[in-house]
mmCIF file with all atom_site columns, all heavy atoms in Angstrom:
data_model
loop_
_atom_site.group_PDB
_atom_site.id
_atom_site.type_symbol
_atom_site.label_atom_id
_atom_site.label_alt_id
_atom_site.label_comp_id
_atom_site.label_asym_id
_atom_site.label_entity_id
_atom_site.label_seq_id
_atom_site.pdbx_PDB_ins_code
_atom_site.Cartn_x
_atom_site.Cartn_y
_atom_site.Cartn_z
_atom_site.occupancy
_atom_site.B_iso_or_equiv
_atom_site.pdbx_formal_charge
_atom_site.auth_seq_id
_atom_site.auth_comp_id
_atom_site.auth_asym_id
_atom_site.auth_atom_id
_atom_site.pdbx_PDB_model_num
ATOM 1  N N   . ILE K 1 61  ? 31.768 20.457 -26.364 1.00 0.00 ? 61  ILE K N   1
ATOM 2  C CA  . ILE K 1 61  ? 32.361 20.243 -27.682 1.00 0.00 ? 61  ILE K CA  1
ATOM 3  C C   . ILE K 1 61  ? 31.238 19.936 -28.668 1.00 0.00 ? 61  ILE K C   1
ATOM 4  O O   . ILE K 1 61  ? 30.464 18.996 -28.473 1.00 0.00 ? 61  ILE K O   1
ATOM 5  C CB  . ILE K 1 61  ? 33.366 19.077 -27.643 1.00 0.00 ? 61  ILE K CB  1
ATOM 6  C CG1 . ILE K 1 61  ? 34.432 19.338 -26.569 1.00 0.00 ? 61  ILE K CG1 1
ATOM 7  C CG2 . ILE K 1 61  ? 33.999 18.858 -29.005 1.00 0.00 ? 61  ILE K CG2 1
ATOM 8  C CD1 . ILE K 1 61  ? 35.248 18.105 -26.207 1.00 0.00 ? 61  ILE K CD1 1
ATOM 9  N N   . TYR K 1 88  ? 43.052 32.191 -18.029 1.00 0.00 ? 88  TYR K N   1
ATOM 10 C CA  . TYR K 1 88  ? 42.218 31.407 -17.112 1.00 0.00 ? 88  TYR K CA  1
ATOM 11 C C   . TYR K 1 88  ? 43.058 30.396 -16.334 1.00 0.00 ? 88  TYR K C   1
ATOM 12 O O   . TYR K 1 88  ? 42.733 30.057 -15.193 1.00 0.00 ? 88  TYR K O   1
ATOM 13 C CB  . TYR K 1 88  ? 41.141 30.638 -17.886 1.00 0.00 ? 88  TYR K CB  1
ATOM 14 C CG  . TYR K 1 88  ? 40.004 31.484 -18.403 1.00 0.00 ? 88  TYR K CG  1
ATOM 15 C CD1 . TYR K 1 88  ? 39.894 31.783 -19.750 1.00 0.00 ? 88  TYR K CD1 1
ATOM 16 C CD2 . TYR K 1 88  ? 39.027 31.985 -17.539 1.00 0.00 ? 88  TYR K CD2 1
ATOM 17 C CE1 . TYR K 1 88  ? 38.842 32.543 -20.246 1.00 0.00 ? 88  TYR K CE1 1
ATOM 18 C CE2 . TYR K 1 88  ? 37.969 32.751 -18.015 1.00 0.00 ? 88  TYR K CE2 1
ATOM 19 C CZ  . TYR K 1 88  ? 37.888 33.031 -19.369 1.00 0.00 ? 88  TYR K CZ  1
ATOM 20 O OH  . TYR K 1 88  ? 36.847 33.784 -19.851 1.00 0.00 ? 88  TYR K OH  1
ATOM 21 N N   . ALA K 1 120 ? 41.671 3.167  -22.612 1.00 0.00 ? 120 ALA K N   1
ATOM 22 C CA  . ALA K 1 120 ? 40.856 2.728  -23.735 1.00 0.00 ? 120 ALA K CA  1
ATOM 23 C C   . ALA K 1 120 ? 39.934 1.612  -23.276 1.00 0.00 ? 120 ALA K C   1
ATOM 24 O O   . ALA K 1 120 ? 40.343 0.718  -22.538 1.00 0.00 ? 120 ALA K O   1
ATOM 25 C CB  . ALA K 1 120 ? 41.750 2.237  -24.876 1.00 0.00 ? 120 ALA K CB  1
ATOM 26 N N   . THR K 1 151 ? 38.301 -3.139 -34.721 1.00 0.00 ? 151 THR K N   1
ATOM 27 C CA  . THR K 1 151 ? 38.425 -3.115 -33.268 1.00 0.00 ? 151 THR K CA  1
ATOM 28 C C   . THR K 1 151 ? 37.793 -1.826 -32.795 1.00 0.00 ? 151 THR K C   1
ATOM 29 O O   . THR K 1 151 ? 38.166 -0.741 -33.272 1.00 0.00 ? 151 THR K O   1
ATOM 30 C CB  . THR K 1 151 ? 39.890 -3.190 -32.822 1.00 0.00 ? 151 THR K CB  1
ATOM 31 O OG1 . THR K 1 151 ? 40.443 -4.447 -33.236 1.00 0.00 ? 151 THR K OG1 1
ATOM 32 C CG2 . THR K 1 151 ? 40.014 -3.057 -31.303 1.00 0.00 ? 151 THR K CG2 1
ATOM 33 N N   . GLY K 1 232 ? 48.778 -6.292 -30.250 1.00 0.00 ? 232 GLY K N   1
ATOM 34 C CA  . GLY K 1 232 ? 50.184 -6.670 -30.148 1.00 0.00 ? 232 GLY K CA  1
ATOM 35 C C   . GLY K 1 232 ? 51.036 -6.244 -31.337 1.00 0.00 ? 232 GLY K C   1
ATOM 36 O O   . GLY K 1 232 ? 52.126 -6.780 -31.548 1.00 0.00 ? 232 GLY K O   1
#
Side-chain angles (χ1 to χ4, degrees):
I61 304 165
Y88 286 107
T151 296

